[in-house]
Amino acid sequence: MRRALGFAFVASGLVLTLLLTLVAFGLPVGESVGRIVEGAFGTQAGLSRTLVKATPLLLCGLGMVIAWRAGMYNIGGEGQFIVGALAGAWVARLFVGLPGPLLNPLILIATALGGAALAAFAGWLQVSRGVQVVISTILLNFVALRALDWAVQGPLQEAKRQLPLTDRLPRETMLLRYDPQFDLHAGVFVALAALAAVWVYLSLTKSGFRLKVVGENPGVARAQRIPAGRTQILAIALSGALCGLAGGIEYTGMTGQLGMGFPQDWGFMAIPVALLGGLHPAGVGVASLYFGALFAGSEQLQRFAGLGSTLVLTIQGVAVLAFVGFDAWRQRGLRAEDGA
Amino acid sequence: MDFAVLMIFATPVALAAIGEAVGQRAGVINIGIEGMMLAGAYAAMVATQATGNPWLGLAAGGAVGVALALAQAFFTLKLAADQVVAGTALNLLSIGVTGTLFQMRYGASGDLMSLPKLVAAGAPDPIAWGTVVAAALAGWVLMRTRWGLAVRAAGEYPRAIEAAGYDAARLRLQAVAIGGLLAGIAGAHLAVGINGSFGENMVAGRGFVAIALVTFGGWRPLWVYGAALLVGWADAMQFRAQAMGLAVPYQLLQASPYLIALAVLVVVGRGARAPASLAVPYRREK
């Protein structure tokens, strides 16, 4: 009940933030909201855009939930997204002869493993060398971007060797599309399955329980003899796997090839999505749908008002700060109660 | 590459990184530095256009940087919010607001426009030289003055510095404000010192480079400055490496500062280098 109330509170706060942002920039509120809603849900194409944009947000956002709940501030979602996709492209090249329905899952597995490996390295650095993941994941983001630049001009470049791009995947290897006219692909279901899996993992399994204990109260974790280091490395590895998988879904669902334009900051954008979703899988599901819709709808707004995704970023920034401020205010209230 | 040119191009990242180093020494990791640089660049553009004087633009950039730093300090120091969260929000806000305002004023084309620059091309750039001075000065203040010692203590073990009669939150606030000032000036320098223009999201990750450089330079301002020069050199080398047909891929060269920083961290571990209370909110025991 309390969770439902908090959820309704955040949801109305998000809508309010949208309205306030429009007012602050002096935009016609009714008309702008109308355009955004129409662009996000009004047509089949819009709806498909919304879902397709929500998909990487959801996957990376779930990744953030797992890592942050364990006290690992993974901000390397972007790098894990890239390295995952690179691992996928490498597998696609290795097994180029395989039939599509067989190759696609192989690629997706590779992307998850690639992201997990990079993230696990950052986790190991923190646990055994005392290097905070905040710092190491920033460093690794740069390394990943350079690796992408190198790969698409080197070992993974297209056979023609003209453009800095990988070969385009054949259509059979791509994720299924509901209608070739629209972007909507089966990756949406992969993301939803991941949502269910993360939810079950965090709330029903022993490993998920340990993860939360380590993040919330290291002292209790020690008393319970929970191996904190191993748990944290596992958490960030899972987080990286989800971000890598997001890269794989984007690769085999949308772009079909990799180039320097492939990273679209989904890994960064997932952080506010995860925070506003209350670091809870269901909350992240709703938040990613909301921001996916805003991104899709703001494309429509761009055509009329000349304003695009920057509006969405503003909303994310304001909402996170408001959320943080409210949280601090509530905690102060709780502490005052304790003292009374 | 001409060293003077390299110095000028390295200035925004170097200046921001020096400020970030001071903040981190006090225990505050400022993820929002990217947004502070961008807001500084935007303010510099607006002020320069309004007055025709790029030096006023530079001042406006610094002022906006300080204002954002104070906002961040309100959340992280006053409310004890998570530093990574507050910084991330500030980045989003900054990219969003400057981008939206820019589009509203100049259309969605993302057109650059030419601003009067601080100094003519080829002339010595006082900000570039000022950055060297800032690096030396920051190092001296941090390591040799009483205030510097207190700031470092606030980043290592804030409880001890409180016991010694200092206010840890105030020390952190001062360090963060310096970081914001330098980040704002750094962004402004990018706009009116180097590019002579503004573009949406023009900082393009330099703030994150600055954070990485602090680690690479081992939290020592002069080393951090050297690291900034090295990164600038590696970036400039990509064109030359391609022209010379170098056997080493230039991407490896570009990634090398980050790889070296990682390697150092792997070998040395945190060692005695990173401030012990970095990114740990401090709550005074009542």
Side-chain angles (χ1 to χ4, degrees):
Chain A
M1 183 61 203
R2 241 179 101 181
R3 174 163 283 163
L5 268 181
F7 179 76
F9 184 80
V10 174
S12 45
L14 281 176
V15 175
L16 189 68
T17 313
L18 167 64
L19 300 180
L20 285 178
T21 306
L22 292 172
V23 172
F25 286 121
L27 294 166
V29 176
E31 197 197 330
S32 307
V33 171
R35 298 253 188 246
I36 290 174
V37 170
E38 196 209 320
F41 301 110
T43 59
Q44 266 193 323
L47 195 59
S48 117
R49 260 201 310 273
T50 294
L51 292 173
V52 152
K53 284 178 194 299
T55 297
L57 284 178
L58 177 53
L59 282 168
C60 294
L62 290 169
M64 296 302 135
V65 170
I66 291 190
W68 287 45
R69 286 291 280 269
M72 299 295 262
Y73 293 133
N74 179 14
I75 45 180
E78 192 67 10
Q80 292 141 21
F81 183 93
I82 293 170
V83 166
L86 277 177
W90 180 59
V91 164
R93 199 180 181 93
L94 273 184
F95 300 102
V96 70
L98 280 186
L102 205 62
L103 184 51
N104 182 283
L106 268 186
I107 294 176
L108 291 185
I109 290 168
T111 58
L113 289 178
L118 190 71
F121 174 59
W124 172 81
L125 267 177
Q126 168 155 330
V127 168
S128 75
R129 315 299 301 172
V131 180
Q132 293 181 345
V133 287
V134 172
I135 289 177
S136 59
T137 50
I138 287 177
L139 294 168
L140 288 172
N141 281 341
F142 286 109
V143 175
L145 202 58
R146 292 297 131 221
L148 173 64
D149 191 24
W150 168 71
V152 297
Q153 295 181 49
L156 295 181
Q157 198 185 8
E158 57 174 10
K160 283 182 295 179
R161 295 217 159 259
Q162 285 171 345
L163 298 171
L165 294 169
T166 63
D167 276 319
R168 187 175 282 283
L169 290 176
R171 170 135 14 125
E172 317 82 74
T173 311
M174 299 281 286
L175 285 163
L176 289 177
R177 289 200 173 191
Y178 143 84
D179 180 333
Q181 278 184 312
F182 303 121
D183 290 337
L184 186 59
H185 54 71
V188 175
F189 299 107
V190 177
L192 285 173
L195 192 162
V198 170
W199 197 341
V200 168
Y201 173 70
L202 282 178
S203 50
L204 296 180
T205 70
K206 192 172 161 193
S207 169
F209 174 74
R210 290 175 152 198
L211 186 154
K212 288 186 290 187
V213 173
V214 167
E216 274 158 33
N217 201 328
V220 172
R222 254 194 310 279
Q224 299 279 326
R225 307 246 171 105
I226 297 174
R230 255 203 336 232
T231 307
Q232 288 189 311
I233 294 178
L234 174 69
I236 197 170
L238 288 174
S239 171
L242 285 163
C243 294
L245 182 61
I249 299 278
E250 198 69 3
Y251 170 47
T252 62
M254 294 290 291
T255 63
Q257 57 186 164
L258 305 183
M260 282 314 275
F262 177 73
Q264 296 281 330
D265 285 352
W266 295 120
F268 288 118
M269 234 82 86
I271 297 174
V273 167
L275 289 168
L276 293 169
L279 292 182
H280 186 280
V284 174
V286 178
S288 53
L289 189 63
Y290 178 72
F291 284 108
L294 274 188
F295 278 118
S298 66
E299 280 178 10
Q300 181 80 355
L301 194 63
Q302 179 130 33
R303 265 180 251 156
F304 295 92
L307 289 175
S309 59
T310 54
L311 265 183
V312 190
L313 301 183
T314 310
I315 292 165
Q316 286 183 331
V318 172
V320 170
L321 285 179
F323 188 74
V324 165
F326 178 76
D327 206 44
W329 174 73
R330 205 187 49 185
Q331 278 187 6
R332 184 173 296 182
L334 286 179
R335 252 178 296 158
E337 271 172 36
D338 287 348
Chain B
M1 181 172 190
D2 188 359
F3 188 72
V5 177
L6 174 61
M7 251 181 77
I8 292 173
F9 276 92
T11 292
V13 162
L15 201 54
I18 292 163
E20 176 79 24
V22 174
Q24 288 199 13
R25 281 285 192 164
V28 181
I29 182 162
N30 179 12
I31 301 285
I33 192 168
E34 173 92 7
M36 292 178 190
M37 290 176 79
L38 187 61
Y42 186 81
M45 172 198 75
V46 172
T48 304
Q49 278 210 317
T51 62
N53 185 343
W55 291 97
L56 287 177
L58 207 68
V64 166
V66 172
L68 283 181
L70 293 181
Q72 201 215 20
F74 171 75
F75 283 99
T76 56
L77 301 178
K78 186 90 182 156
L79 300 180
D82 189 275
Q83 294 174 6
V84 179
V85 173
T88 305
L90 214 62
N91 281 338
L92 293 164
L93 192 62
S94 197
I95 297 174
V97 171
T98 58
T100 307
L101 290 176
F102 186 69
Q103 286 169 4
M104 290 175 83
R105 281 176 80 141
Y106 305 103
S109 54
D111 260 347
L112 304 177
M113 21 171 221
S114 48
L115 295 167
K117 286 172 65 167
L118 292 172
V119 291
D125 181 341
I127 302 301
W129 287 102
T131 303
V132 185
V133 176
L137 195 66
W140 180 77
V141 167
L142 278 175
M143 304 312 289
R144 302 262 180 251
T145 67
R146 186 174 285 263
W147 182 81
L149 178 66
V151 161
R152 283 186 289 136
E156 297 287 348
Y157 193 48
R159 197 159 295 165
I161 196 68
E162 292 258 318
Y166 285 87
D167 183 342
R170 175 172 301 176
L171 287 164
R172 285 186 166 187
L173 175 67
Q174 290 163 346
V176 167
I178 292 172
L181 176 71
L182 295 188
I185 294 177
H189 183 263
L190 191 62
V192 296
I194 295 178
N195 291 10
S197 66
F198 181 86
E200 244 183 83
N201 202 7
M202 72 183 288
V203 175
R206 284 182 182 82
F208 285 102
V209 177
I211 298 174
L213 288 179
V214 173
T215 311
F216 185 37
W219 288 267
R220 276 172 278 191
L222 268 176
W223 288 54
V224 168
Y225 182 76
L229 287 182
L230 192 66
V231 168
W233 175 79
D235 266 346
M237 273 304 284
Q238 64 169 300
F239 304 107
R240 191 170 295 188
Q242 278 171 311
M244 293 191 308
L246 222 61
V248 182
Y250 70 85
Q251 294 92 349
L252 189 63
L253 207 64
Q254 288 180 317
S256 60
Y258 313 110
L259 288 171
I260 293 170
L262 277 168
V264 169
L265 291 171
V266 170
V267 175
V268 187
R270 171 161 51 182
R273 285 195 162 179
S277 295
L278 185 59
V280 181
Y282 176 64
R283 266 208 193 87
R284 194 178 299 168
E285 309 273 310
K286 290 257 161 68

